Every structure is written in structure tokens, then in C-alpha cells.
Amino acid sequence: HFGKEHPEAAVTLYNLGIAHGNLGDYSKQKDLLERALRILEQHFGKEHPEAAVTLYNLGIAHGNLGDYSKQKDLLERALRILEQHFGKEHP
């Protein structure tokens, strides 16, 4: 059994969050992505590329909810992580 805090649970939470976003329920999307992010950061660290992908989508959710400042912060954080891991010239 994986349990609530297993990275596989984070994958499911992430996918469910994306589904809620596609349905226009951005508040639920945000909540699910925040849960997924906590698990990913706990298991892989705050600077892991998996966290960056979740941060990106969490930023989009905040933007859809009208919190553009938080959106900007999350997207910048995601970009920093990805550039650290893959370089600024990575496609």
C-alpha cells in the first residue's frame, strides 16, 4: 500500500487537480495541486523538476482565481528550478 503521502498519491492528486482545472473549478485545482506539491517536496526536495511542473500548474490555478501576484511568484520559482536542472538553453 502506498499511503496518503506516497509520491504515487501525489501523481493522482496532480492529475485530479488538472481535471478540476479543465472543468473550471480552479479553487479545487489549487487545493489538490498544493497537496501534491507538499508530497513531492517532502519526498524529492523543493528544487526537484517534478515540483517545478506542479508549481507551474499551481501558478496557472492562482492566475485563474485572479491572484496574479502569486501566479507570478510560482511561475518564477518553477522557471528557476527548471533552469537549474536543465540549463537556460534547454528546449
Side-chain angles (χ1 to χ4, degrees):
H1 297 136
F2 291 129
K4 291 181 180 181
E5 301 300 316
H6 192 277
E8 287 298 321
V11 170
T12 302
L13 289 166
Y14 173 87
N15 289 328
L16 193 54
I18 297 302
H20 277 277
N22 290 338
L23 292 168
D25 189 350
Y26 305 120
S27 180
K28 186 69 172 177
Q29 178 186 30
K30 179 183 77 70
D31 293 344
L32 290 164
L33 292 175
E34 285 173 345
R35 286 176 55 196
L37 182 63
R38 277 192 299 274
I39 295 167
L40 292 171
E41 289 179 340
Q42 177 184 356
H43 283 275
F44 301 116
K46 292 183 183 248
E47 304 299 317
H48 194 276
E50 288 293 327
V53 172
T54 304
L55 285 165
Y56 167 81
N57 284 292
L58 185 56
I60 298 302
H62 277 276
N64 286 330
L65 290 167
D67 190 347
Y68 304 114
S69 177
K70 183 71 171 180
Q71 178 185 33
K72 178 181 171 286
D73 292 344
L74 292 167
L75 293 175
E76 287 175 345
R77 185 173 158 208
L79 179 61
R80 271 193 313 275
I81 293 168
L82 293 173
E83 287 179 345
Q84 285 173 343
H85 281 272
F86 302 112
K88 292 184 179 191
E89 303 302 319
H90 189 271

